[in-house]
Amino acid sequence: AADTFIVTNSSDGGDGTCDSDCTLREAIMAANANPGPDIINFNIPGTIGVKTIVPVGALPDITDTVAIDGYTQPGAAENALEVGNNAVLLIELNGTSAGGSSRGFHVVANDCTVRGLVINRFTLSGITIENANDNLIEGNFIGTDPSGTADLGNEGSAVSLVSANSNLVGGVTPQARNILSGNQLYGVFIQQS
């Protein structure tokens, strides 16, 4: 069975341990250190609304199978419209303080999922999948604000697939639909070596 790590703190500090006061950085570190598939959920307390995480440096590479699910934040909701998008995304990853050569996520493991997140303003791509296969990117807003309407693009592409096979960006259901907009390069960039 997968272990679940719950992000309860929107800061980027911490003592390196994903305990009752766990940051996203600590959750990724814990999932990487725990062999086998894991889950990262969100339950950041406080007033209702978007919780913004501003990394002060690049987040750790994702090196082991994990599902990161922003829709677990209380109040978030998947898109239910066949036409348009009424998703409510409440976890925003803002790259303005992450420094040069930073991505929202750098996935180098197989069978990972990233869903239900707003990812904007990184100096490279919102998500890069490199030398990794069978990953799923669904239900995210990459390059916009949490409403999906304002341009807060990443300086690279929304999603970059580099020497990566059998990865799925989006899907056939309304819930799987991403909004990839406002980024400086491409919505989805594919490079095979």
Side-chain angles (χ1 to χ4, degrees):
D3 286 344
T4 299
F5 302 99
I6 301 175
V7 177
T8 58
N9 188 328
S10 62
S11 76
D12 192 40
D15 60 5
T17 303
C18 187
D19 49 22
S20 62
D21 189 35
C22 184
T23 65
L24 177 59
R25 183 179 299 276
E26 290 171 326
I28 294 171
M29 292 168 58
N32 284 342
N34 190 51
D38 295 301
I39 299 168
I40 295 177
N41 288 342
F42 294 83
N43 189 12
I44 300 174
T47 57
I48 295 173
V50 176
K51 307 302 182 188
T52 301
I53 299 169
V54 184
V56 294
L59 289 169
D61 290 354
I62 296 173
T63 60
D64 197 33
T65 300
V66 68
I68 303 175
D69 191 352
Y71 286 120
T72 57
Q73 176 66 23
E78 298 175 333
N79 176 47
L81 300 178
E82 289 292 335
V83 178
N85 197 313
N86 67 350
V88 178
L89 276 64
L90 296 179
I91 299 295
E92 177 183 24
L93 197 55
N94 174 340
T96 55
S97 297
S101 300
S102 64
R103 306 167 177 91
F105 293 111
H106 186 207
V107 180
V108 295
N110 300 328
D111 301 305
C112 295
T113 298
V114 178
R115 65 189 306 267
L117 299 171
V118 180
I119 303 172
N120 57 43
R121 294 176 276 187
F122 285 88
T123 58
L124 296 176
S125 295
I127 299 173
T128 298
I129 299 173
E130 188 169 7
N131 297 311
N133 307 317
D134 302 309
N135 296 287
L136 175 61
I137 308 299
E138 67 174 13
N140 302 287
F141 295 178
I142 306 178
T144 73
D145 72 336
S147 74
T149 61
D151 179 353
L152 299 176
N154 299 287
E155 293 181 29
S157 299
V159 179
S160 293
L161 305 173
V162 181
S163 298
N165 297 301
S166 301
N167 296 283
L168 180 59
V169 180
V172 298
T173 66
Q175 296 84 359
R177 187 180 302 143
N178 296 290
I179 294 178
L180 312 177
S181 183
N183 301 284
Q184 296 299 308
L185 294 179
Y186 307 100
V188 179
F189 172 76
I190 300 173
Q191 177 183 339
Q192 291 295 108
S193 60

